[in-house]
Amino acid sequence: FLPRKNLSYENLLDSLLTDPELLRKNEQQLFGQYYKLRDVLKKYRQIQKNGDWNPIAIDSLDKTYKPSDSSTTIGKIRQRLAITGDLKADSKSNVYDPELMAGIVNYKKRNGFNIDYVIASKHIQRMNIPIEKHIKTIIANMERCRWIDPALTKTEEYIIINIPSYRFFFKKNGKNELESKVFVGKNMTETVVLSSSISKIVFSPYWNIPKSIIENEIKDAMALDENYLAKNNIEWNKGNARQKPGPKNSLGLIKFVFPNSEDIYLHDTPSKDLFQYEYRAYSHGCINLEKAKELALLILQDDPDWPIERINEAMKGEKETVCILKKKIPIHIGYFTAWVSDSGEISFYNDIYLRDDRLTELLFADDIK
């Protein structure tokens, strides 16, 4: 679902002959994240060479550590966070002190955990991922960078959604205008990687229910409850089921439409409570956005035809209202289990669809032989 790059190798070779420095870094040909990952790869290979990445013993799976606790495990955690850069230095202390608290918060931010000061076995298990696996993960994500047209980031505004981190970013003039939590497709209905452009916003949308959901879910629910359709504001329309606009509509009060063969949307949701969880793969494949209204306001802020009063009126859930965008907004849905921030700090995320091993197997096929 990604457009093939139009690459002229003749022009590329000419540019390299003119400027050999482009061999080191050429953001006209490669998505800039590639080079950020490459820089971190050097750091992690040096960590591997130093031999300091030692396993941290877990006293028991139900053991947790809190501020002021003292343990040799705390000392090992402190050493690891100093290696990864979450702490500036290793004080060698076995006490869970304020310095370590700040390091733990940073570590959790980088690894997709909810932010608090409790250290549980799941956090230590993540720390115990071998350095060799982190290196392969970084390389796999460098490969994924090759699949993105670098022209994406040259546009005035664009959207990137990262499936494993459950995060949405709206960029304008190179800066983050909006960041939001999302939830994505569950394992049986995975959200696909694709590039497209948002062409319209639908306020108070109907949800045209896919036939697969009708067959696999709604018919069973109707058999158990004859009033199921009425209770869920669902009606039949020309032989198909659709959910009428309203606050309980599964698409919420806003839908962002971008052409794609998988019929995937970016939309609001009435299930706001789900955004509090670390694991957020619950949908049928579409992307549910926590800050949907904020995004609509940002996209339409310079459109005199869509003042906030009109947007609020359109979001009352009474009737479907379509806004055709005067300027399409590029969107890329990616699958990055490793991502480097502008400050050079790397984050690792759970491989929720188990795609890393398949990709690294291809990348390291010659090594296996």
Side-chain angles (χ1 to χ4, degrees):
F1 307 112
L2 298 175
R4 186 180 298 276
K5 293 180 185 177
N6 293 319
L7 181 62
S8 167
Y9 288 101
E10 183 178 354
N11 291 341
L12 176 59
L13 287 170
D14 285 345
S15 65
L16 292 174
L17 288 168
T18 303
D19 183 6
E21 186 65 17
L22 291 175
L23 283 167
R24 189 185 68 83
K25 187 175 182 180
N26 186 353
E27 292 194 7
Q28 295 300 316
Q29 300 298 337
L30 274 177
F31 183 51
Q33 179 66 201
Y34 175 92
Y35 300 104
K36 294 177 183 177
L37 285 164
R38 189 180 65 179
D39 290 340
V40 174
L41 177 63
K42 295 175 184 176
K43 173 185 173 182
Y44 271 69
R45 280 179 165 158
Q46 186 59 51
I47 293 172
Q48 181 187 34
K49 186 177 179 180
N50 294 342
D52 297 329
W53 195 277
N54 301 313
I56 301 169
I58 302 176
D59 294 331
S60 66
L61 291 178
D62 57 355
K63 173 67 176 176
T64 60
Y65 300 94
K66 299 177 181 179
S68 299
D69 285 352
S70 179
S71 167
T72 55
T73 299
I74 295 293
K76 297 291 186 183
I77 292 171
R78 186 186 300 278
Q79 178 192 36
R80 174 58 53 76
L81 297 190
I83 291 172
T84 56
D86 296 292
L87 290 173
K88 291 182 179 179
D90 179 9
S91 68
K92 309 295 183 183
S93 172
N94 289 337
V95 178
Y96 191 172
D97 56 15
E99 181 185 43
L100 184 58
M101 289 166 63
I104 287 295
V105 166
N106 199 64
Y107 179 81
K108 288 188 174 185
K109 284 180 180 177
R110 292 194 308 105
N111 287 272
F113 292 115
N114 286 340
I115 306 302
D116 56 35
Y117 295 122
V118 176
I119 305 173
S121 60
K122 65 179 179 180
H123 305 126
I124 300 175
Q125 287 172 347
R126 176 69 69 85
M127 293 178 193
N128 279 336
I129 292 175
I131 188 70
E132 294 79 11
K133 185 171 178 60
H134 279 310
I135 287 171
K136 286 189 174 184
T137 297
I138 293 170
I139 293 172
N141 285 277
M142 289 172 67
E143 173 63 23
R144 290 179 176 126
C145 289
R146 298 178 186 273
W147 308 345
I148 303 178
D149 188 342
L152 173 72
T153 57
K154 306 299 187 293
T155 56
E156 179 184 347
E157 51 188 14
Y158 62 94
I159 288 168
I160 286 185
I161 297 167
N162 187 18
I163 296 168
S165 69
Y166 310 112
R167 303 299 293 186
F168 163 101
F169 302 91
F170 176 54
K171 301 265 191 177
K172 190 169 184 177
N173 297 320
K175 296 181 179 179
N176 258 356
E177 284 290 315
L178 182 68
E179 184 175 343
S180 177
K181 295 179 180 177
V182 300
F183 58 85
V184 298
K186 52 194 173 186
N187 286 80
M188 295 298 291
T189 52
E190 296 180 1
T191 299
V192 300
V193 171
L194 61 85
S195 290
S196 186
S197 292
I198 294 176
S199 57
K200 62 183 177 180
I201 302 174
V202 182
F203 296 102
S204 302
Y206 281 97
W207 178 37
N208 296 301
I209 305 173
K211 293 187 184 300
S212 59
I213 297 177
I214 296 172
E215 293 295 328
N216 298 327
E217 299 178 31
I218 291 180
K219 283 188 175 180
D220 289 340
M222 289 171 59
L224 296 171
D225 183 357
E226 61 181 16
N227 295 316
Y228 176 82
L229 295 183
K231 287 179 179 178
N232 290 276
N233 214 21
I234 296 173
E235 65 181 9
W236 292 103
N237 179 55
K238 298 178 182 179
N240 296 312
R242 67 179 185 179
Q243 189 176 36
K244 292 183 281 187
K248 294 184 179 180
N249 184 288
S250 294
L251 303 184
L253 294 171
I254 309 178
K255 177 176 73 171
F256 302 88
V257 180
F258 45 94
N260 65 89
S261 60
E262 294 298 288
D263 204 24
I264 287 176
Y265 304 110
L266 173 65
H267 62 79
D268 184 28
T269 177
S271 304
K272 303 291 188 184
D273 58 315
L274 294 178
F275 290 112
Q276 66 182 300
Y277 299 111
E278 288 177 356
Y279 178 85
R280 296 198 296 274
Y282 301 113
S283 82
H284 290 93
C286 286
I287 295 166
N288 295 241
L289 180 64
E290 183 180 32
K291 298 180 181 179
K293 183 177 182 180
E294 290 89 334
L295 176 61
L297 290 172
L298 280 170
I299 290 175
L300 298 173
Q301 65 181 351
D302 298 323
D303 189 337
D305 296 333
W306 282 92
I308 189 169
E309 295 80 13
R310 185 181 180 187
I311 292 172
N312 287 335
E313 182 67 25
M315 287 182 63
K316 286 185 175 179
E318 296 173 354
K319 65 175 183 177
E320 185 174 87
T321 305
V322 178
C323 167
I324 304 298
L325 297 184
K326 295 173 182 176
K327 183 172 62 176
K328 295 180 180 180
I329 299 176
I331 180 171
H332 178 78
I333 302 172
Y335 191 91
F336 290 94
T337 51
W339 184 268
V340 180
S341 68
D342 291 339
S343 64
E345 191 172 57
I346 190 165
S347 294
F348 292 102
Y349 303 108
N350 283 329
D351 182 14
I352 59 173
Y353 296 156
L354 303 179
R355 294 180 180 176
D356 278 1
D357 286 346
R358 282 180 284 168
L359 182 53
T360 54
E361 185 177 343
L362 290 170
L363 293 173
F364 293 94
D366 290 338
D367 294 343
I368 294 171
K369 293 176 183 177

